[in-house]
Amino acid sequence: MRGRSSISSAVSTLLMLAGALQAQAEAQAPAQDRARNADAGLLTSTDSNGERVQLEEYIPDIVVTATRQATNLQDTPIAITAVSAEALEERGITNVSDLTSVVPNSQFRRVQGAFGPGVSAFIRGIGSGDTSLAGEGAVAFYIDEVYYPVLLGANFDLLDIDHIEVLRGPQGTLFGRNSLAGALNIVGRQPSLTDTTGYVDFTAGRYDRRDVRAGLNLPLSDSVALMISGLSKQREGYQRRLEFTCEMIRRGTPELAGTFPTTNVLMTRTPNFTPNDCTIGRLGGDNVHAGRVSLLWQASPTVRLTVNGDYIRDLSENTADSIVDIDPTRANNNMRTQAGYFGLTIDERFMTGDPYTTYVTYEDRIPAGTVIPGNSYYNGTMVDGRYTRGGYELPAHNDLLNWGLSTKLAWDFGNNMNLTAVVGYRVLDEIHTFDTDGTPLVVEHVVNDIVNKYLTTEVRLSHTSALMDWVGGVFYFDAEGVQHAALAQGSVGGQRKLYTTYEPKTKAVFANVTLRPFGDAWSFIIGGRYSDDEKVVNFSNLADVSPSPSDIRFAVVPQQKKSSWKLGINYQLSDTALLYTSAASGNSLPGYNPRPLQVTQVGQFDGNDDVAYELGAKLDLWDRRIRLNAAAFYTDFKNRPTAIGGAEATLDNNLQPVPGNQQLEPLPGGPPGSTRCSTQTLPTNTGIVCIGRTYYRNLPATVRGAELEYTIAPTDALAVNGSVGWSRFWSPDIAQRVVNRRQGNPFWTASAGIQYRFALGALGGAITPRLDWTYESNQIVSGTSTKYNDLMPARSLFNARITYDNTERDFTIAAGVTNLFDKFYWVNVFDYQGLGYPQTDAQPGRPREWFLSFGKRF
């Protein structure tokens, strides 16, 4: 009932606004005319004599492809945030994870370090941060209309972008696969046949930042043009890795280091030298090189072929990660005896007291073959005559190669009939590591090698007329992937080797029709899609001493045949006012537990299904000085498999519980029989050793909310833009909680930006200062504990920039500051204690950083 009340209230508000607009609206004009004029960069209206006249574009239009046809943003009845390349530059948005600052009710973030170089993507409270090939996201990513299936490597640097479209709400009809929450469409700039142009941009800043971007558009003939661009991005990390023993000595507490060896001989104290800087590395830095090539062939006035290629090599440092809490009572026997080997105790000595420093080493300082009495990990295990545990070092940076090729054929048959065919092939090859515990010891180290290759094909036929617009097509997706990983689990006494293959395949047909049976004012949308999906998985997770009863092998084929639909009604109140309402279904694919730690944890689950109801308005007011795009929504989950973290007893090779000092207790909010690791410990070897386990339960849910995007240009020089969003996610598992009976994501998001252009003829150009603000309300970390509620309070972040544009020489100089007031915040918090580990980690946000840039166009 609450959801219906919210929607009713939104309906009343929009109807009142519509009445006010009707009083000031001019005579209606065909929506098709406005869309065509938008393609030409014009906006028209009707004067007192009934003549069509051109209006000045105070707020320029953006042509989007959210309906798989080119339409004006303001004539497209979907909640879309469309950001042009110019706006991206003004707001300092350089990659996908920055989009949170402009898209209401969304969170795009760099994922926690265990998940590698990827992004978590949430829209309207629905999303995922699982970057594995097994994970199925809730937001569909597209690059130049080519589907990108995983969140790993999805934090794309925005090189030569024309604009970005973020579609909010399920897009199952036209975007299909895993567009449960929405879709993100990155549209690259296309070659021009008429002008030879180019640009080069240099940026320098804090942490030795050095960015270079350059591009060239070159017409090769009257019908062929080539565009080439490149990027190099370098920046050292904002978190320092400290040598543990060196730092204990520097602080005057050498006894806290026990006998732990130094990793750098230059940091050894001597009678006449005590180190004053114990930095051995950094985290959070950038090392990216990328390139893009686009070739256009205008074969005839009606046939256009574009070939795109892009390449990304990312060797950036791992994300910054800090320990925010250590509970010594959660350290099991293996952890305690490992620490005791160096005369250490697992306690707060491993917390640096500064979120921008860490003692993490990414190495095992215990020599291979060492036997520690009472420790089941360091027990002299040998494989093929060699010691397999101890004495290794892992790189503290990722190694990502991501490239793709695509072709797009656009064929105008005449009579408003068009054929579009897109074929794309992409390869992702990536290795990342993670030191789970963030200490100099080995609780768990992970190295992950993932390769994914896939082919996508989409063919569409479309037509426009006075009576109807329609588009129909077919989609095909075929991929093969491999995950090869190794886990050194000092805490549970073993090493695991994973090797899993994935072969997903999707076939789909779709159609979308917009009918106007009563003229241009009213239109009706009917859309549908039928998909046939499957993923053939061969999974193996073996002990280093294999064969072993703890080996995990299985084959699963998550699959489904699904129909998605959309219905909508639109009312074009005037040239500059559109009201719409719609209902649409969304779906994400079925899956399985991708990280079983022992044989008891194998399981499959169904896909997600939801239906979203939306009411919206798109308004350009007061001679195009104000733009307001508003939407209210209510999403009803029909099927919602939900993961919840718990723990169970670790099994030995005979599938018997390993003796220890830990015990289990019922998992609050979990399915029947689920457990977690208790904070209460037992005498040595009278209990068990905990191991993390993911449980799944199917729970319905509802999401309701509203959002507003605005752009205001009261004068030609002054511009104000921003957004505000509110959403509330509610489900039975939230209602059953004892504490934190709320969603994890923020209820409120908001952003605002203001700039003023000072024309300075004496300087041959203009100076434009700009200030941007981003807000997120508070978040929670856990649904079972209030322990970390204070780590994710509401936060406001400000960025400032001042730009000088020289119109005579066509160059730009800009200076700016991100996180202007040096606000400290955590990007995410990962409660490992709920999985049986002694620590909880968090990713600190970037501190204040300055930059200077110079750009030249020619």
Side-chain angles (χ1 to χ4, degrees), residues 62-69 71-83 102-104 123-124 163-169 171 175 182-185 566 578 580 614 616-618 627-631 707-710 722-723:
I62 298 179
V63 176
V64 296
T65 57
T67 60
R68 296 306 197 190
Q69 294 175 291
T71 59
N72 190 304
L73 172 67
Q74 293 305 98
D75 293 329
T76 307
I78 301 173
I80 309 171
T81 298
V83 189
V102 294
V103 183
I123 296 177
R124 293 178 173 177
H163 69 277
I164 292 179
E165 305 169 14
V166 182
L167 288 65
R168 303 188 296 279
Q171 307 295 324
F175 287 85
L184 186 150
N185 190 21
K566 180 173 183 176
L578 170 68
Y580 67 92
E614 186 170 312
K618 298 197 169 185
R627 173 172 293 172
L628 301 176
N629 291 344
E707 51 215 15
L708 171 68
E709 296 179 279
Y710 58 88
S723 66

Side-chain angles (χ1 to χ4, degrees), residues 613-635:
Y613 306 91
E614 186 170 312
L615 180 68
K618 298 197 169 185
L619 316 169
D620 284 341
L621 309 175
W622 283 277
D623 292 332
R624 205 173 173 78
R625 289 290 188 180
I626 297 177
R627 173 172 293 172
L628 301 176
N629 291 344
F633 59 89
Y634 180 83
T635 303

Side-chain angles (χ1 to χ4, degrees), residues 134-137 147 176-180 477 504-506 531-535 558-560 562 587-592 605-609 641:
E136 301 293 349
Y147 175 62
R177 200 174 193 271
N178 291 334
S179 58
L180 181 78
F477 171 83
K505 183 177 293 185
T506 298
S531 299
D532 185 350
D533 297 277
E534 71 172 17
K535 180 190 291 185
Q559 57 188 310
Q560 69 177 12
K562 181 67 63 174
N587 171 259
S588 63
L589 303 183
Y592 65 96
F605 52 85
D606 294 331
N608 289 276
D609 295 298

Side-chain angles (χ1 to χ4, degrees), residues 2 39 58 65 85-86 132 158 221 248 282 380 393 470 528 603 616 643 676-677 757 776 782 856:
R2 294 176 181 173
D39 284 333
Y58 298 114
T65 57
E86 292 74 16
S132 77
L158 304 177
S221 70
M248 292 299 100
R282 289 180 176 268
E393 182 177 359
W470 60 263
R676 68 177 181 182
C677 201
R757 181 179 176 86
E776 291 183 350
S782 169
K856 178 72 173 75

Side-chain angles (χ1 to χ4, degrees), residues 409-706:
L409 172 67
W411 188 355
D412 183 354
F413 291 147
N415 297 320
N416 295 323
M417 182 79 74
N418 294 275
L419 173 71
T420 303
V422 179
V423 179
Y425 179 77
R426 294 201 67 88
V427 174
L428 167 70
D429 191 344
E430 189 273 339
I431 299 175
H432 66 267
T433 62
F434 189 60
D435 188 328
T436 303
D437 54 279
T439 75
L441 303 176
V442 180
V443 175
E444 181 179 270
H445 286 174
V446 181
V447 57
N448 226 322
D449 183 0
I450 294 177
V451 178
N452 191 29
K453 304 175 182 179
Y454 61 93
L455 172 73
T456 60
T457 302
E458 183 168 291
V459 180
R460 304 189 300 269
L461 192 63
S462 62
H463 182 261
T464 61
S465 68
L467 176 62
M468 73 171 70
D469 300 336
W470 60 263
V471 59
V474 296
F475 173 84
Y476 179 76
F477 171 83
D478 191 5
E480 57 181 30
V482 175
Q483 179 185 20
H484 184 204
L487 288 77
Q489 297 174 304
S491 60
V492 298
Q495 284 190 9
R496 309 294 301 186
K497 301 296 190 296
L498 285 76
Y499 187 83
T500 303
T501 63
Y502 307 84
E503 296 181 20
K505 183 177 293 185
T506 298
K507 294 173 284 186
V509 295
F510 59 89
N512 194 77
V513 181
T514 301
L515 295 168
R516 290 178 289 273
F518 310 118
D520 296 318
W522 290 93
S523 58
F524 304 88
I525 295 176
I526 303 173
R529 187 185 191 98
Y530 177 78
S531 299
D532 185 350
D533 297 277
E534 71 172 17
K535 180 190 291 185
V536 179
V537 180
N538 287 283
F539 182 96
S540 69
N541 182 338
L542 309 181
D544 56 348
V545 183
S546 186
S548 166
S550 66
D551 289 347
I552 306 171
R553 291 186 179 91
F554 62 84
V556 294
V557 187
Q559 57 188 310
Q560 69 177 12
K561 296 181 179 179
K562 181 67 63 174
S563 296
S564 301
W565 54 269
K566 180 173 183 176
L567 299 173
I569 301 175
N570 314 316
Y571 179 54
Q572 193 76 45
L573 185 65
S574 72
D575 268 4
T576 57
L578 170 68
L579 305 180
Y580 67 92
T581 182
S582 65
S585 67
N587 171 259
S588 63
L589 303 183
Y592 65 96
N593 181 8
R595 299 180 180 89
L597 301 179
Q598 53 190 24
V599 293
T600 55
Q601 301 181 13
V602 176
Q604 293 191 65
F605 52 85
D606 294 331
N608 289 276
D609 295 298
D610 67 357
V611 176
Y613 306 91
E614 186 170 312
L615 180 68
K618 298 197 169 185
L619 316 169
D620 284 341
L621 309 175
W622 283 277
D623 292 332
R624 205 173 173 78
R625 289 290 188 180
I626 297 177
R627 173 172 293 172
L628 301 176
N629 291 344
F633 59 89
Y634 180 83
T635 303
D636 187 4
F637 270 91
K638 303 299 183 183
N639 199 49
R640 179 178 162 257
T642 307
I644 183 172
E648 64 180 6
T650 302
L651 303 181
D652 62 19
N653 289 344
N654 297 315
L655 302 182
Q656 298 299 313
V658 174
N661 68 333
Q662 297 173 301
Q663 61 180 326
L664 300 172
E665 63 184 15
L667 176 63
S674 60
T675 54
R676 68 177 181 182
C677 201
S678 172
T679 59
Q680 302 299 316
T681 57
L682 301 172
T684 301
N685 293 333
T686 63
I688 53 92
V689 174
C690 290
I691 189 172
R693 174 171 179 172
T694 299
Y695 294 94
Y696 295 91
R697 59 264 167 90
N698 190 25
L699 296 172
T702 60
V703 190
R704 67 180 187 272

